[in-house]
Amino acid sequence: MKKHFIKVVLSFAIIVGSFSSCKNSSSSSSKNVSRATGWKINAKEGGFQYNSDFKEQVTPPGTVFIEGGTFTKGKVQDDIMHDWNNTPTQQHVQSFYMDETEVTNVMYLEYLDYLKSVYPPENPNYKNIYHGALPDTLVWRNRLGFNETMTNSYLRHPAYAEYPVVGVNWVQASQYAEWRTDRVNEAMLEKEGYLAQDAKYKVLNGEIGGTFSTEAYLNNPESVYGGQIDSLQGKQKKDSINSFAKRSSGIIMPEYRLPTETEWEYAAQALIGSREYNNYRGRKKYPWEGDYTRNGQRVGRGDQLANFKQAKGDYGGIAGWSDDGADITAEVKSYKPNDFGLYDMAGNVSEWVADVYRPIVDDEVSDFNYYRGNIFLKKAIGEDGKVNVLQSDEIVYDTLPNGKIVALNLPGEIEMVAVTEEETYLRTNFDSSDNRGYRDGDPGSSRFFERFSDESDNRKMYDSPKHKVERDSTGKILRQYDTSNYRTSLINDEVRVYKGGSWRDRAFWLDPAQRRYLPQYMATDDVGFRCAMSRVGSKSKTKNKTIRHKKAK
């Protein structure tokens, strides 16, 4: 009886052990088995291919992580003018990445040198690609000031290499961000073995006649590098299943872009370093703690915390210990970063953001990732069912209102077109391609719309002059000015917001909530920019998330 009992117990233990072993075996390989169908994933024999080992987004080059959250946007601390230019609203921002410094001269020169090498301006087809990207160095000139040193040297002299680039308009800044996206993804694909080692340099050296575009690679990889992608594939080519990376591979990064006004203001305030009630409700005056522009801590007491104009005729202070260390711009990282690790979010140069300017923020429509400026596009599809990849003779140029010619696309990029009524039919979230003027002068913005919609005199809410500037076949600028007597505003859909005080500004403009605007084609000697990138996946980094879970337990 005793032996029989022992045998039963042993048999039960073996069964339980086998069940446990099977369970562990299944669990250990579950990431490569579909929970929906039970099919294998990433199997050598074929089937579905996904990145089941993806942990989290890699921090993009030059950026820092900005964990999203809620804050009071537009709460200016010193509203001296009492102008109708801002509305305090509570907004929520998703997590994103932002450049730790402004884009510097040497960073922008890398862009210019790439364009000059790949699209030599000696070629008539490419001439305006390079010239259209050049910063306007004449912004330094002043009728009653001697600034020729900056005009001649600021952009290219190595003494200014790590100073923020200026003279760049909003259009140029946006195009730089697009170019940077392709270069970073090109390097990432090379690192992961999808492109051959140093393939990117063969473009610069003229060894191949095409270039790399992220969207072209994702949608029609055979078109990349002028159709020579086969000879430039890396070690992943050995595996025919994974010869090309896809978005599902988790390697391709989202695009670099200009930050939205909401993102920029949230990042500048950096409430993550202070949980005080007044700061949370929008009472923090500067990117740093306190209401003063000088350092009150024991180490460095009295030092200025930003580069700004301290008084009339005083751009830095009296030479010596009380000086802020700069008369024009300063080298990046000359002052302490804010609690997000961002440098110069007040002072040095003001910065372009992505938004189209309007005096108020319409939080009734959106209090999540607020942004005015959306133009929804789609990829142009050819008769063969594939995306249209633009060739060298299909470059589209645009003449800006100041006569500057810029390339709207580069060879090898995908042609983008506006969405049509077919895509917007019966949608509730958008009904048109261009949404820059949404609820601002259209029928949905006012029950008195008819008063502003008299076509005889073109009256509406924001009725700016409509000048026409173009060039003839000889390159001569043809200007046709709007002489209407019914124009009521300078605000239109080509006017963009810029934020933050600069070396030319008084402390009033250092408040992150302050905002100003310029036409997107204009450039100055005190406006620069930095790039941002959206975060995909979790709100916070895995490490932080794990710590919170442990604390909860």
Side-chain angles (χ1 to χ4, degrees):
M1 185 70 178
K2 188 175 181 180
K3 290 181 179 180
H4 177 71
F5 175 76
I6 293 173
K7 185 182 290 186
V8 170
V9 172
L10 288 173
S11 299
F12 179 75
I14 291 170
I15 292 172
V16 171
S18 299
F19 177 77
S20 176
S21 176
C22 290
K23 185 176 180 181
N24 290 337
S25 175
S26 175
S27 175
S28 64
S29 61
S30 60
K31 68 180 181 179
N32 287 322
V33 176
S34 169
R35 291 170 52 213
T37 64
W39 286 32
K40 292 181 179 179
I41 297 174
N42 302 325
K44 292 182 179 180
E45 53 267 32
F48 303 115
Q49 302 294 316
Y50 304 112
N51 186 348
S52 56
D53 294 323
F54 184 81
K55 294 294 186 289
E56 65 175 34
Q57 183 176 352
V58 177
T59 301
T63 69
V64 296
F65 174 66
I66 311 294
E67 182 175 349
T70 186
F71 79 114
T72 302
K73 171 183 166 67
K75 182 63 177 177
V76 296
Q77 303 303 306
D78 298 311
D79 192 7
I80 298 173
M81 303 301 294
H82 297 285
D83 56 349
W84 188 47
N85 186 45
N86 229 331
T87 306
T89 63
Q90 185 153 308
Q91 295 284 332
H92 192 93
V93 185
Q94 274 188 299
S95 298
F96 62 102
Y97 298 88
M98 180 179 272
D99 278 340
E100 63 175 348
T101 72
E102 299 104 344
V103 172
T104 62
N105 284 319
V106 71
M107 292 167 68
Y108 200 85
L109 284 174
E110 186 179 0
Y111 168 53
L112 293 177
D113 290 340
Y114 182 93
L115 294 181
K116 193 171 185 178
S117 298
V118 179
Y119 310 107
E122 297 81 20
N123 184 330
N125 288 337
Y126 297 151
K127 176 182 178 181
N128 290 310
I129 292 179
Y130 174 72
H131 290 293
L134 285 171
D136 182 5
T137 58
L138 299 184
V139 294
W140 288 104
R141 284 183 170 169
N142 186 304
R143 294 182 183 87
L144 296 177
F146 180 73
N147 297 328
E148 289 305 293
T149 300
M150 280 81 78
T151 300
N152 296 326
S153 303
Y154 183 82
L155 175 63
R156 299 186 184 276
H157 197 285
Y160 294 114
E162 294 298 335
Y163 284 56
V165 66
V166 297
V168 176
N169 62 44
W170 184 94
V171 176
Q172 293 172 315
S174 299
Q175 291 174 332
Y176 170 87
E178 293 177 10
W179 169 85
R180 185 176 175 184
T181 301
D182 293 336
R183 303 292 74 76
V184 169
N185 279 325
E186 193 174 15
M188 288 295 293
L189 289 171
E190 180 184 300
K191 178 182 177 182
E192 296 296 328
Y194 287 93
L195 292 177
Q197 195 72 22
D198 296 333
K200 57 184 180 292
Y201 297 117
K202 293 184 178 181
V203 178
L204 279 175
N205 298 332
E207 296 178 40
I208 55 176
T211 186
F212 176 88
S213 165
T214 301
E215 289 300 319
Y217 179 85
L218 288 170
N219 291 274
N220 187 3
E222 292 82 5
S223 69
V224 176
Y225 294 123
Q228 303 176 63
I229 183 66
D230 287 339
S231 62
L232 295 172
Q233 289 188 63
K235 60 185 179 181
Q236 292 285 357
K237 188 178 181 180
K238 296 178 182 178
D239 184 353
S240 59
I241 296 175
N242 293 315
S243 57
F244 295 116
K246 303 177 179 62
R247 212 177 291 275
S248 58
S249 302
I251 297 168
I252 305 293
M253 288 192 174
E255 70 278 2
Y256 282 92
R257 53 180 174 78
L258 292 179
T260 66
E261 180 181 5
T262 307
E263 287 175 335
W264 194 98
E265 189 172 325
Y266 173 81
Q269 284 193 11
L271 300 178
I272 192 171
S274 175
R275 303 293 176 170
E276 295 180 12
Y277 176 79
N278 282 339
N279 288 345
Y280 172 73
R281 301 302 300 174
R283 296 293 181 183
K284 189 176 181 183
K285 188 171 184 178
Y286 300 117
W288 53 85
E289 293 296 329
D291 295 330
Y292 303 98
T293 62
R294 289 191 182 274
N295 189 357
Q297 297 178 354
R298 184 175 178 179
V299 178
R301 187 185 300 275
D303 290 347
Q304 287 289 4
L305 297 171
N307 174 22
F308 66 100
K309 183 177 179 180
Q310 298 175 33
K312 184 175 178 61
D314 184 357
Y315 289 84
I318 300 173
W321 70 268
S322 63
D323 187 25
D324 68 9
D327 39 26
I328 53 169
T329 56
E331 184 174 347
V332 297
K333 296 187 178 182
S334 294
Y335 305 90
K336 290 182 179 180
N338 69 6
D339 288 324
F340 273 130
L342 299 170
Y343 293 86
D344 294 323
M345 294 301 283
N348 217 16
V349 292
S350 302
E351 298 176 18
W352 287 113
V353 296
D355 292 58
V356 169
Y357 174 81
R358 290 295 188 271
I360 59 173
V361 172
D362 192 348
D363 66 321
E364 292 183 2
V365 174
S366 176
D367 60 0
F368 181 77
N369 284 349
Y370 187 93
Y371 166 60
R372 179 181 287 278
N374 279 312
I375 300 180
F376 300 125
L377 304 173
K378 64 177 182 178
K379 301 173 181 66
I381 306 297
E383 295 180 357
D384 58 356
K386 296 183 178 181
V387 294
N388 288 343
V389 178
L390 298 166
Q391 305 303 313
S392 58
D393 58 347
E394 296 177 310
I395 306 172
V396 178
Y397 293 101
D398 185 26
T399 301
L400 302 180
N402 60 357
K404 192 177 187 71
I405 300 176
V406 296
L408 299 182
N409 64 271
L410 296 177
E413 294 180 346
I414 291 179
E415 180 183 2
M416 304 296 291
V417 295
V419 298
T420 63
E421 293 182 358
E422 294 181 4
E423 284 81 25
T424 62
Y425 181 65
L426 292 183
R427 284 188 177 274
T428 58
N429 54 334
F430 71 98
D431 57 10
S432 64
S433 177
D434 189 345
N435 295 272
R436 291 175 296 177
Y438 176 66
R439 284 178 58 87
D440 201 6
D442 62 8
S445 65
S446 173
R447 61 195 178 103
F448 303 115
F449 173 75
E450 292 77 13
R451 299 182 184 179
F452 303 97
S453 61
D454 185 356
E455 294 297 330
S456 62
D457 56 12
N458 293 320
R459 290 178 182 172
K460 53 185 178 181
M461 188 176 293
Y462 291 106
D463 190 24
S464 62
K466 297 180 179 179
H467 307 304
K468 185 177 181 181
V469 180
E470 57 186 3
R471 288 179 181 265
D472 61 17
S473 58
T474 64
K476 182 180 179 181
I477 299 179
L478 304 177
R479 297 182 176 90
Q480 184 177 347
Y481 294 106
D482 187 338
T483 58
S484 171
N485 294 323
Y486 297 103
R487 301 304 181 193
T488 58
S489 173
L490 294 176
I491 299 172
N492 57 34
D493 292 341
E494 280 73 47
V495 169
R496 302 286 174 168
V497 179
Y498 69 96
K499 301 278 284 182
S502 75
W503 65 276
R504 281 192 176 277
D505 293 315
R506 303 289 285 269
F508 171 78
W509 294 107
L510 302 185
D511 184 341
Q514 295 288 0
R515 60 204 300 258
R516 289 172 283 182
Y517 66 91
L518 272 177
Q520 63 185 28
Y521 59 85
M522 291 186 66
T524 71
D525 62 359
D526 60 347
V527 176
F529 71 101
R530 73 179 76 207
C531 296
M533 179 186 289
S534 299
R535 175 174 170 82
V536 294
S538 62
K539 176 179 184 286
S540 59
K541 292 191 173 184
T542 303
K543 181 178 68 173
N544 296 334
K545 184 167 62 175
T546 303
I547 291 173
R548 284 202 298 271
H549 286 330
K550 287 181 178 178
K551 287 181 177 179
K553 291 179 180 179

